[in-house]
Amino acid sequence: MFHSGCSSSSQRALANQPMAPGEICNYQWILHGINVDGREQKSRLFWQKMVRDRPYLTCDKLGFVRGSAGSNPYLGKFDLADDGSIEWIKAPRISRMVGRKDSSELETDFLKALPRINRASVAGDILTLQGGEGTRIEFKQTGELPRPSR
């Protein structure tokens, strides 16, 4: 059974309690590593210095997935099941914006890998997204998303 978007849950301490895949939308995730088409890239010193250019992922309870692919913002939509299965309703693509920047190799790989993802799992503060053709993306939790103002 698929649910549109992600389910919400009570707050939990960062990486202290197990997280259900449906809870990923309560947090922001920054790229830690990626494997696509046999190419693997891991978080390294250069990524640490260029955090603002590092891909990240957020989602909401309606299933919208957004973030930065590195140089450009992206937007997509998925259904996330309680067991971690993912079905893409709208594959992630670079959002239209004024002054779109050229894509780096990392951004190109990220945008190629993300629509292939069909499963999410969480261990500690690491979100692992896996898909066909050996595609794997790992994110590190950066903290809870701010609560909407009322």
Side-chain angles (χ1 to χ4, degrees):
M1 174 179 207
F2 283 100
H3 303 281
S4 182
C6 301
S7 61
S8 63
S9 67
S10 62
Q11 293 187 1
R12 71 174 189 85
L14 181 66
N16 286 342
Q17 299 173 10
M19 181 188 307
E23 291 183 46
I24 67 173
C25 292
N26 295 332
Y27 301 90
Q28 181 171 302
W29 304 90
I30 193 162
L31 186 66
H32 186 65
I34 185 170
N35 188 332
V36 61
D37 293 340
R39 285 187 313 279
E40 184 173 10
Q41 297 189 45
K42 285 279 190 189
S43 178
R44 56 188 190 268
L45 185 58
F46 175 73
W47 286 15
Q48 302 302 323
K49 290 180 181 178
M50 303 301 289
V51 170
R52 72 180 188 282
D53 294 329
R54 208 158 132 189
Y56 71 89
L57 176 135
T58 61
C59 53
D60 64 28
K61 65 182 180 177
L62 300 175
F64 287 99
V65 178
R66 60 181 56 92
S68 171
S71 301
N72 297 287
Y74 68 88
L75 178 66
K77 188 171 184 179
F78 69 5
D79 278 337
L80 175 63
D82 290 337
D83 69 356
S85 299
I86 292 173
E87 182 180 319
W88 288 99
I89 297 168
K90 181 180 178 187
R93 299 211 185 279
I94 291 176
S95 299
R96 292 178 189 223
M97 61 181 259
V98 176
R100 178 178 166 180
K101 299 176 185 173
D102 291 335
S103 293
S104 66
E105 181 181 350
L106 178 60
E107 181 172 73
T108 300
D109 282 353
F110 183 78
L111 290 170
K112 183 185 289 186
L114 203 53
R116 294 180 185 177
I117 296 305
N118 58 21
R119 174 150 307 280
S121 62
V122 180
D125 65 348
I126 300 293
L127 166 64
T128 302
L129 302 178
Q130 294 179 301
E133 304 169 37
T135 301
R136 180 181 177 99
I137 307 173
E138 290 181 345
F139 294 92
K140 187 166 179 65
Q141 184 179 335
T142 62
E144 289 190 48
L145 294 173
R147 298 286 175 213
S149 58
R150 294 178 186 233

